[in-house]
Amino acid sequence: MGGGPDWARDGADWPHRRSSRFVRAGGVSWHVQCLGHGPAVLLLHGTGAATHSWRDVAPALARRFRVIAPDLPGHGFSRPLEPGARVFTLPGMAAALSALLERLGAHPEFVVAHSAGAAVAARMCLDGGMRPQAVFAVNGVLMPFPGAVTLLFSTTARMLSLVPGVAHMVAWRAAQPGFVEHLLRGTGSVPDDRGVELYGRLVRSPGHVAAALRMMVNWDLEPLARDLPRLPTELVLLVGENDRTVPPAEAARVQARLPAARILRLPGLGHLAHEERPGTVVSLLERRVSHGPQAQQGQGDDRDQVSC
């Protein structure tokens, strides 16, 4: 898929570039960053993002963990090596990522996954691709949105993906002043200048935009929703109360399907909560590792809040 960000140009000062490597596995040439030593933690970004999304979380976790953060297929600097759409389906993406972990000899004990990355993590756990102690889903997408929203979302994405040159049009629009910041603020988060600049590099790349569209078109979350009750790992839902992308009420729907899931609400934070307050995510994971599941009180109580 052409038109993606160029590593020599766009990645010249990429966050934690010295920790980057390129690995072929599962039909993908992966850009993956590995930092630190200790128990392995896998970081999975959401649709349209890349490893830069963890630029503050990763080094903080690397003080006591081995951090593994890949770009998802077609995103950032990861490139599919094979034609076809399978790697852009949820099962295909989960299988490809499992192959990467096998190639790296990595067995994550914990996962922190943002938005659609949470669905990839859950699918991997259900399919046996990894067996972490816990998955922390930051504003995770784990079930189809209700009826009309799902239909509108999938139909719009499919139509856009079929329009010739639409990825180039979006990339051109992203070069206009203020566009990327407006886009990010629309998620309910307040991005910093560095975040705006890095997202801008991605959105100005037609290949990156096209990959995000293909991912949206080819995903079907119904099977995942049916399988959630048999998720074999602890699930912690971190919910930004100001999220305008994934409605905070979605967490309650997940908990209804999986009563053991815990909901921790993050007051004042939007969809990019882990970028706004990286220390909150880091402290929650460290607390879980140090004290076990009992470290987060109120299991099954969606009224728990975490001060930011």
Side-chain angles (χ1 to χ4, degrees), residues 7 11-21 31-35:
W7 181 243
D13 62 343
W14 198 251
H16 315 302
R17 178 185 170 97
R18 292 184 178 180
S19 299
S20 292
R21 63 182 71 176
H31 168 241
V32 56
Q33 296 188 326
C34 300
L35 300 81

Side-chain angles (χ1 to χ4, degrees), residues 251-307:
R253 293 180 64 226
V254 173
Q255 192 181 62
R257 189 65 59 94
L258 183 64
R262 290 200 298 279
I263 299 174
L264 299 179
R265 299 191 177 275
L266 308 177
L269 299 184
H271 191 59
L272 304 175
H274 60 297
E275 297 189 37
E276 293 181 281
R277 295 289 187 273
T280 297
V281 175
V282 172
S283 64
L284 286 172
L285 179 56
E286 290 181 335
R287 190 188 314 168
R288 167 60 179 81
V289 173
S290 298
H291 303 291
Q294 294 77 17
Q296 290 143 5
Q297 299 298 318
Q299 179 167 340
D301 185 353
D302 65 0
R303 293 171 297 178
D304 289 351
Q305 292 193 344
V306 177
S307 175

Side-chain angles (χ1 to χ4, degrees), residues 81-93:
L81 296 171
E82 302 171 356
R86 174 165 172 73
V87 76
F88 291 102
T89 67
L90 179 53
M93 194 169 290

Side-chain angles (χ1 to χ4, degrees), residues 118-258:
V120 179
R123 189 73 266 167
M124 291 173 70
C125 293
L126 287 161
D127 295 346
M130 63 177 175
R131 298 184 179 182
Q133 295 182 37
V135 172
F136 285 73
V138 183
N139 295 317
V141 177
L142 291 161
M143 295 177 62
F145 290 161
V149 177
T150 297
L151 179 62
L152 176 63
F153 177 80
S154 61
T155 301
T156 301
R158 189 174 301 278
M159 289 177 61
L160 287 174
S161 70
L162 294 175
V163 175
V166 68
H168 289 272
M169 292 170 58
V170 173
W172 173 83
R173 185 70 180 87
Q176 309 307 306
F179 176 83
V180 174
E181 182 174 3
H182 177 75
L183 193 68
L184 295 176
R185 285 183 175 271
T187 69
S189 288
V190 180
D192 61 18
D193 291 343
R194 178 65 166 160
V196 172
E197 194 273 327
L198 291 168
Y199 275 106
R201 295 186 201 181
L202 299 178
V203 183
R204 289 192 294 271
S205 300
H208 178 88
V209 175
L213 287 173
R214 290 191 71 183
M215 186 174 169
M216 289 188 285
V217 166
N218 285 287
W219 270 32
D220 179 7
L221 288 173
E222 287 289 352
L224 178 62
R226 291 195 300 267
D227 291 343
L228 271 181
R230 62 181 183 86
L231 187 70
T233 190
E234 176 188 352
L235 178 63
V236 182
L237 303 171
L238 306 184
V239 181
E241 292 193 330
N242 198 38
D243 191 349
R244 297 178 193 165
T245 301
V246 178
E250 285 298 296
R253 293 180 64 226
V254 173
Q255 192 181 62
R257 189 65 59 94
L258 183 64

